Amino acid sequence: RRVYGSGVDGFSFFRLCHQILGWNGPTILLLKASKGDVFGAYLDEPWREWHTFYGGSGCFLFALRPRLAVCRPRRGPGARRDFMYLNTKGRAKGIRLGSSGDPDSARIAVPDQLGDATVAVRRSCLTFESADLAPSALQGDVDIDAIEVWGVGDQAAIAEAARARDADRQVRAEHVRKAGTVDKRKFLESSFDREHILGKTFANCASDSEYRRPVRDRPS
């Protein structure tokens, strides 16, 4: 089942996060370059926002076009376990897959700003085996035409993963509701919180400035 698709959901990092966070199951991330390269990753753990890498040894990177390649986790001395990373509020924002010790050395780096639809790709890292995932990449950057995330599993597993995501959204929304003393202006200044928790409320706003209009409480 497709969890996120840029053609349907738009090229928005925060919409991407809204769709994948809470999905309780493995996923496949697919990227299609403007020059035809198709590559991605299989991620064996649910996505979560965290300040460091996570994931298991079932993760791997792959390329489908222009030629098939599979990059499995390295083994032996010096091998790292920097499989997957998602952060919306730290120094290194975005999605990172594989690295040689820090998010800035990621094998695949999806930025938190997808307006220019550019993803950074490296040929090697200390986490996964080496291969050219996107031969058309220019100085490590590749222009992307499409990004998709697919849930993996049988029908029952997909249904359970979707239910877990719905429950996660309810918990987040309830947490915000209970925080009655929250500064609403500061909350709306957080792009991620605004999109992830209040996406439907502000779906029709044309620009970032609309989110920052003064918040007026209803009279009690």
Side-chain angles (χ1 to χ4, degrees), residues 13 17 85-89 92-96 109-113:
F13 175 73
C17 292
Y85 168 102
L86 188 157
N87 195 298
T88 67
K89 300 172 184 175
K93 298 177 183 178
I95 288 174
R96 306 289 191 269
V110 179
D112 67 322
Q113 300 293 333

Side-chain angles (χ1 to χ4, degrees), residues 173-190 193 197-198 215 217:
E174 182 67 10
H175 175 74
V176 172
R177 188 190 68 80
K178 288 183 176 180
T181 59
V182 68
D183 185 328
K184 294 181 181 179
R185 289 187 181 86
K186 290 200 175 291
F187 180 77
L188 293 180
E189 287 174 359
S190 168
D193 290 335
I197 300 173
L198 301 178
V215 176
D217 293 325

